[in-house]
Amino acid sequence: MSKNYDLVILGGGMGGYISAIRARQLGKTVALVEKGKLGGTCLHKGCIPTKALLKSAEVFQTVKKCGRFGVKVKELALNYVEAFERKNTVVDKLYQGVQQLMKKHRVDVYKGVARLLGPSIFSPMAGAVSVEMGEVNETLIGKNVLIATGARPRQLSQIPVDHAHILTSDDLLDLDHLPTSLTIIGGGVIGVEWASMMLDFDIDVTLIEQEAALLPGFDADIQTEVLNQLKQRGLTVHLNASVMESEVNGGACLVKGRKDNAPFTVSSSHVLVSVGRIANTDQLGLGNTNITVDEAGFIEVNDYFQTKESHIYAVGDCIGGKQLAHVASAEGKLAVKHMFDEKLDLTPLSFIPSCVYASPEVAMVGLTEVEANQMFTKIKTATFPFQAIGKAIVSDETKGFVKLVVNEKTRDCLGVSIVGEKATELISEAGIGLVLNASIDEFGETIHPHPSLSEAIAEASLLAMNEPVHI
């Protein structure tokens, strides 16, 4: 049996379900195929559950420090089982919301495994979708197809994951008790967030990173600040280090590595392997089409997210790039606009905010200082510390800063990096400014509420204008 649609979407994560909603808003018929739960990695294995646990960790630390605010607590205890259950409750509430959205917008959802077909009796073009739903098979024929199948944790052959002691981030989210100690392999965003969370839960953490700094791709000053703060909180770090092998012996996990040509061994109750993600493209039947993938398995697309089959698009983690939920949703909406001949503006894709929900929080948009120096002949930077901001002092959160990268000739702001309290909330102002090609004058002369952490953006702009006020 076959059914026809204007758009068939493979994958029900952020890239998939938001694209479905946009297509329905344009009056198009939409089918969405998801083998697991609607909401995808972000909702079930990524953004949301980790942030729920990070919030519990933050509250735990806040209460421990409440004496500084004149608040006394007689007894403080962490109940991780309740924090774990709260995480599940948050996820379930949002999951129900996504399900309701699909019903509201009348998107036909198929729970099953999708596979692309080549030219057949169903369609002269490649791209008809076979859906296996247990004992029932359905064939969906779309005028357009959107692949949004996401990615999964990459593993290391020398550190085999056993899902009991040596874990991926997916496994760690399913662990209903805290490790007594944790070794993290990989100092990217996911590794740093888990390191911060476990430190807040008073767990001993060792982090191993093969590069010279944590958070590759972020501004060097941000990398240094995050490293220093995490070390002050008790993190043991091995940079420029490689991992060679692992061993599980009783209740101990041993990770053996090399640093500065010398061997080292780390022992912990659990190990988190956090070394990037690989595309979920290997079981899609891409070989039945002209769609190409790169060496890592990510689908190759043009600027409008079209594959080599012009009616088949791909967005989100399965095409590589910045593997972020908000990127997938933005790409999905742009792809839908393109396939249905709507006016679209690709400018916002050049100014994607990247965030780290650790303690300290980190956020950046635009160029780093190194990137700007490679592209422009003369730039300047301005760094304004939160310790000079009244609201930061009120909150007793004075560590960190706002850093601007500026084109000295045009006075355009090229990039903004923030490390400190509420950085992930503050970055949106910078993002809007960069999309609108704002100058430091416009940032600096915009009236910001007082007292607020957002004043740091204005103060950094005034500093870049050589008109500093509070420093």
Side-chain angles (χ1 to χ4, degrees):
M1 183 177 179
S2 63
K3 293 184 179 180
N4 293 276
Y5 290 91
D6 294 317
L7 174 60
V8 176
I9 299 173
L10 311 187
M14 286 280 282
Y17 82 77
I18 288 179
S19 299
I21 291 172
R22 183 62 191 134
R24 288 295 298 133
Q25 290 170 339
L26 296 175
K28 308 301 178 182
T29 56
V30 181
L32 186 151
V33 185
E34 170 57 52
K35 69 177 182 179
K37 291 184 176 181
L38 291 171
T41 294
C42 175
L43 178 52
H44 299 285
K45 296 292 183 181
C47 322
I48 299 302
T50 54
K51 285 16 165 214
L53 290 176
L54 280 162
K55 185 62 180 180
S56 293
E58 176 193 344
V59 171
F60 182 54
Q61 287 299 314
T62 298
V63 176
K64 287 178 69 175
K65 301 171 184 175
C66 67
R68 296 179 301 183
F69 298 89
V71 178
K72 303 297 182 183
V73 176
K74 289 185 177 180
E75 185 176 349
L76 173 64
L78 171 66
N79 188 325
Y80 188 75
V81 171
E82 291 185 3
F84 183 84
E85 291 173 350
R86 177 183 180 273
K87 177 262 294 183
N88 291 339
T89 299
V90 169
V91 170
D92 187 60
K93 183 175 183 178
L94 290 170
Y95 175 48
Q96 292 179 40
V98 176
Q99 291 175 298
Q100 286 301 118
L101 285 172
M102 295 298 94
K103 293 177 181 178
K104 173 185 175 182
H105 291 280
R106 300 191 300 279
V107 175
D108 290 346
V109 177
Y110 295 81
K111 183 175 176 58
V113 178
R115 185 175 177 82
L116 295 170
L117 303 176
S120 66
I121 59 172
F122 299 108
S123 173
M125 298 186 300
V129 178
S130 172
V131 184
E132 297 179 11
M133 300 177 290
E135 297 181 356
V136 179
N137 278 19
E138 195 85 66
T139 300
L140 309 179
I141 303 169
K143 294 178 182 177
N144 296 279
V145 176
L146 178 66
I147 302 172
T149 49
R152 61 187 183 274
R154 177 173 170 257
Q155 298 187 24
L156 296 174
S157 59
Q158 70 271 35
I159 312 289
V161 170
D162 62 12
H163 307 290
H165 300 93
I166 301 179
L167 314 172
T168 68
S169 55
D170 291 358
D171 301 321
L172 197 48
L173 278 171
D174 290 334
L175 198 67
D176 61 2
H177 61 278
L178 284 170
T180 56
S181 54
L182 180 66
T183 299
I184 299 175
I185 302 172
V189 173
I190 295 174
V192 166
E193 287 186 350
W194 277 105
S196 177
M197 181 199 303
M198 290 298 157
L199 289 171
D200 276 348
F201 283 140
D202 292 341
I203 303 300
D204 290 333
V205 182
T206 299
L207 192 151
I208 304 170
E209 167 57 43
Q210 66 177 357
E211 301 292 336
L214 300 181
L215 300 176
F218 283 78
D219 189 273
D221 290 339
I222 295 288
Q223 294 172 333
T224 299
E225 180 69 16
V226 170
L227 177 62
N228 289 340
Q229 288 200 36
L230 290 176
K231 289 173 70 175
Q232 288 170 11
R233 291 167 55 202
L235 180 68
T236 300
V237 185
H238 297 281
L239 298 176
N240 289 315
S242 59
V243 291
M244 311 302 293
E245 60 179 328
S246 62
E247 177 186 341
V248 178
N249 187 359
C253 299
L254 302 180
V255 174
K256 299 178 182 180
R258 294 190 68 85
K259 178 180 178 181
D260 299 328
N261 293 318
F264 68 89
T265 301
V266 179
S267 177
S268 58
S269 69
H270 294 78
V271 175
L272 169 63
V273 179
S274 178
V275 290
R277 300 177 68 81
I278 59 175
N280 292 325
T281 56
D282 46 335
Q283 302 295 320
L284 289 180
L286 298 184
N288 297 325
T289 74
N290 291 321
I291 296 172
T292 57
V293 298
D294 65 16
E295 293 180 355
F298 293 107
I299 297 174
E300 296 178 323
V301 296
N302 64 15
D303 290 344
Y304 301 101
F305 308 104
Q306 289 172 293
T307 67
K308 296 296 183 182
E309 301 275 5
S310 61
H311 65 294
I312 303 179
Y313 293 68
V315 300
D317 290 3
C318 68
I319 66 171
K322 289 192 173 184
Q323 295 178 316
L324 304 168
H326 49 281
V327 173
S329 61
E331 291 173 346
K333 288 185 286 186
L334 289 169
V336 168
K337 286 184 178 182
H338 185 264
M339 68 179 67
F340 296 121
D341 300 319
E342 293 286 310
K343 182 179 179 181
L344 71 162
D345 179 9
L346 299 178
T347 302
L349 292 179
S350 299
F351 303 106
I352 297 169
S354 297
C355 297
V356 185
Y357 296 84
S359 178
E361 285 194 0
V362 175
M364 65 166 286
V365 64
L367 303 178
T368 65
E369 182 178 354
V370 170
E371 292 168 338
N373 270 315
Q374 294 171 346
M375 298 174 63
F376 297 92
T377 56
K378 200 170 186 181
I379 70 161
K380 67 182 299 185
T381 64
T383 301
F384 194 89
F386 279 115
Q387 64 184 9
I389 296 295
K391 184 62 178 291
I393 295 173
V394 167
S395 303
D396 199 22
E397 295 287 354
T398 57
K399 293 181 179 180
F401 53 81
V402 173
K403 178 178 179 179
L404 305 186
V405 180
V406 180
N407 184 329
E408 194 163 4
K409 180 179 180 181
T410 65
R411 299 172 73 87
D412 289 336
C413 185
L414 302 174
V416 179
S417 294
I418 307 174
V419 56
E421 178 76 355
K422 306 299 182 187
T424 61
E425 304 293 339
L426 297 173
I427 200 63
S428 290
E429 175 186 344
I432 293 172
L434 266 61
V435 168
L436 298 177
N437 196 31
S439 67
I440 52 172
D441 306 78
E442 291 165 323
F443 274 117
E445 292 170 5
T446 296
I447 299 174
H448 290 71
H450 176 77
S452 71
L453 296 175
S454 67
E455 289 178 284
I457 296 176
E459 292 277 6
S461 301
L462 293 172
L463 182 60
M465 297 161 59
N466 297 317
E467 300 174 9
V469 175
H470 289 102
I471 195 172

